[in-house]
Each structure stands twice: as C-alpha cells, then as structure tokens.
C-alpha cells in the first residue's frame, strides 16, 4: 500500500517535474496501475494519440446517432479547476459526452468505473488508456480515494456516478455512494452537478433499443465545501452528498420540463 501511495504522490507533480524513472514507456513495461497513478498528460505519446483518436471518432459517431447538446455548457467549460463532476447515470453515452466535451477544450477527465469491469483484460487495457480509474464498490477503497485526490491536485476532473449503476426507470431502487463527497472534503475541491435525459434506451437490451434520439445534458454551478455552512468531517461529507445529489436531480427536472417526453 505504501508503495502505491508513493507512486501516487509522485504522479501529483506536473509533467515537467516527472523524473525519467517515473515516466511511462511508449510500448512496454507499464502496468495498469501506472496509468491509474499518473496524469493523463504524462501518458506515453502513443497512448495520448490513441485517446485523441478515440475521442474524435466517438464524438462524431454519437453526434450522428444520438445528437446531444449540453445546456449551460459554459459552466462546464470555463472552469479550469480540477474538480469532481457528478451525474445521474443512464447509459455508456454519459461519460463519452462529458469526457469528449472537456477534452476538446483542453481539460482532462478521469471517469470512475466499477472494478467488476476488470474481469475482462481487454476492457481494463482500454479503460486504463483513456484515463479511467476503478473503484471497488462496497468497500473503503482508499486506493481509489488517493488516486482521485491526486488527479484533482494535478488539475484533472474526476467524473463520478453516485448512483453506482445505470438507472433505467424512475422507480428503480438506488443506493448512493458517498465516495465523491469524501474526496471533496479531503481535497477541498468543488463538486459540479450535471444531468442527462434521453439516453436511457440507447444501449442494446435484447433486440430492443433506440437509435437517433436526441439527448440533452445540463451543467450546474459548482458547489463549494465552504458554502455548506457545516463543520465536522462527517457533517461536511453528508452535507456535500445531499447538496450535490439534490442539484443533480433538480437539473434532471429542468431538462424534463424543457424537453417533454425525455426521460
């Protein structure tokens, strides 16, 4: 554990300050942990080129298949701070839109994904190269907490879905994961709420799935820990969770009101 934290500490430095010993190799010798513990701008050039190609391709493809639009996008794009972005979760389109939108404006995003996906070595390889970081749900995953903390300190954004799974109906039972609020308290980083509607049925489920439907997103104002008016570690964590998720669902309500029929 101490060795992993040490790598994370070194990774929190800027690219200019990374020693040769810490730099990732272009084609060999890197573990997935190396990608989790280093900043995206510190990835080897081939990995960064691959990430750029992937983002351009998926942006064009998703814009054609499910034309998407981010409302109040300047709230997302104009803030250059490392921060935590929290969203409701409808489909695999959600992280694509957020990561791509910020990538084109020079910001790097670390999506958080459940470690169950790591059962596939191919998925692990791809996710690590695009900057995603795994979390072991249902545990006090301090490795994930530290990696997210170092990413924010480097100026990267961390994208988290507190619902923990794709929500396919309004009556689906949800248990929120509070990790994002703990990270906010540890880093004093702002939490930015976002919402998405219209993406629930775009992923295959048997033979029934939806194509060419419009998808809408909306960005909200950042929530600062200092604005919550509470003290105490647990109280601050709980207050941040409540305020952030309330803001997310308020944005969902606004989008549904503005675009009737979109769920």
């Amino acid at each position: 554990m101490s060795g992993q934290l040490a790598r994370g500490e070194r990774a929190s430095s800027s690219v200019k300050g990374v020693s040769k010993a810490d730099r990732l190799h272009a084609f060999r010798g890197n573990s997935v942990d190396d990608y989790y513990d280093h900043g995206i701008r510190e990835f080897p050039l081939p990995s960064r080129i691959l990430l750029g190609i992937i983002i351009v391709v998926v942006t064009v493809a998703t814009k054609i298949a499910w034309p998407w639009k981010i409302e109040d996008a300047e709230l997302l794009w104009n803030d250059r701070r490392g921060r935590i972005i929290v969203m409701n979760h409808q489909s695999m389109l959600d992280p694509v839109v957020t990561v791509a939108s910020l990538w084109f404006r020079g910001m790097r995003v670390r999506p958080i994904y459940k470690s169950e996906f790591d059962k596939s070595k191919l998925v692990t390889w791809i996710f690590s190269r695009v900057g995603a970081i795994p979390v072991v749900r249902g545990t006090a995953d301090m490795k994930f907490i530290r990696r997210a903390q170092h990413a924010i300190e480097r100026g990267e954004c961390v994208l988290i879905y507190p619902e923990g799974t794709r929500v396919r109906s309004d009556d689906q039972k949800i248990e929120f994961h509070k990790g994002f609020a703990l990270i906010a308290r540890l880093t004093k980083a702002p939490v930015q709420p976002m919402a998405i509607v219209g993406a629930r049925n775009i992923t295959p489920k048997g033979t029934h799935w939806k194509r060419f439907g419009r998808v809408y997103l909306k960005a909200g104002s950042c929530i600062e820990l200092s604005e919550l008016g509470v003290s105490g570690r647990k109280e601050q964590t709980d207050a941040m969770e409540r305020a952030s998720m309330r803001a997310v669902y308020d944005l969902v309500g606004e989008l549904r009101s503005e675009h009737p029929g979109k769920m």
Side-chain angles (χ1 to χ4, degrees), residues 70-72 75-76 83-88 98 158-160 162 180 190-196 217-224 227 240-252 255:
I70 303 178
E71 299 180 5
D72 296 331
L75 294 174
L76 182 68
R83 60 195 185 276
I84 302 163
I85 301 173
V86 293
M87 290 182 65
N88 61 314
T98 309
V158 174
L159 175 60
I160 300 179
F180 79 90
V191 175
Q192 183 165 34
M194 283 189 66
I196 184 169
L217 299 94
K218 193 177 185 75
S221 298
C222 286
I223 301 171
E224 307 282 349
E227 299 171 348
M240 179 59 82
E241 180 202 8
R242 290 193 300 270
S244 300
M245 296 314 298
R246 182 168 58 246
V248 168
Y249 289 124
D250 284 348
L251 292 172
V252 170
L255 284 173

Side-chain angles (χ1 to χ4, degrees), residues 11-140:
S12 64
S13 62
S14 65
V15 176
K16 186 176 180 180
V18 174
S19 68
K20 286 185 177 181
D22 285 336
R23 289 175 184 167
L24 301 184
H25 300 285
F27 296 104
R28 60 179 177 79
N30 304 320
S31 69
V32 292
D33 286 321
D34 289 327
Y35 284 93
Y36 301 148
D37 292 330
H38 282 72
I40 293 176
R41 297 185 190 279
E42 299 168 22
F43 286 7
L45 180 60
S47 294
R48 285 182 279 131
I49 292 174
L50 175 63
L51 174 58
I53 292 172
I54 290 173
I55 287 178
V56 170
V57 170
V58 298
T59 299
V60 173
T62 57
K63 275 284 192 179
I64 293 172
W66 309 286
W68 48 265
K69 176 184 178 183
I70 303 178
E71 299 180 5
D72 296 331
E74 66 278 359
L75 294 174
L76 182 68
W77 299 337
N78 293 346
D79 195 330
R80 313 302 294 181
R81 295 176 295 173
R83 60 195 185 276
I84 302 163
I85 301 173
V86 293
M87 290 182 65
N88 61 314
H89 196 16
Q90 292 196 329
S91 74
M92 290 301 292
L93 180 65
D94 312 349
V96 169
V97 173
T98 309
V99 171
S101 178
L102 284 166
W103 186 88
F104 281 111
R105 286 156 184 86
M107 293 288 290
R108 298 297 178 258
V109 182
R110 308 301 295 253
I112 304 303
Y113 71 95
K114 57 186 179 182
S115 61
E116 289 94 318
F117 283 120
D118 286 336
K119 292 177 182 178
S120 167
K121 290 184 178 180
L122 177 60
V123 170
T124 300
W125 189 91
I126 294 173
F127 279 12
S128 66
R129 269 61 178 179
V130 300
I133 298 173
V135 58
V136 181
R137 299 188 300 175
T139 69

Side-chain angles (χ1 to χ4, degrees), residues 152-167:
I152 292 169
E153 291 168 353
R154 287 190 296 265
E156 297 173 330
C157 295
V158 174
L159 175 60
I160 300 179
Y161 298 94
E163 293 169 334
T165 188
R166 286 174 285 179
V167 178

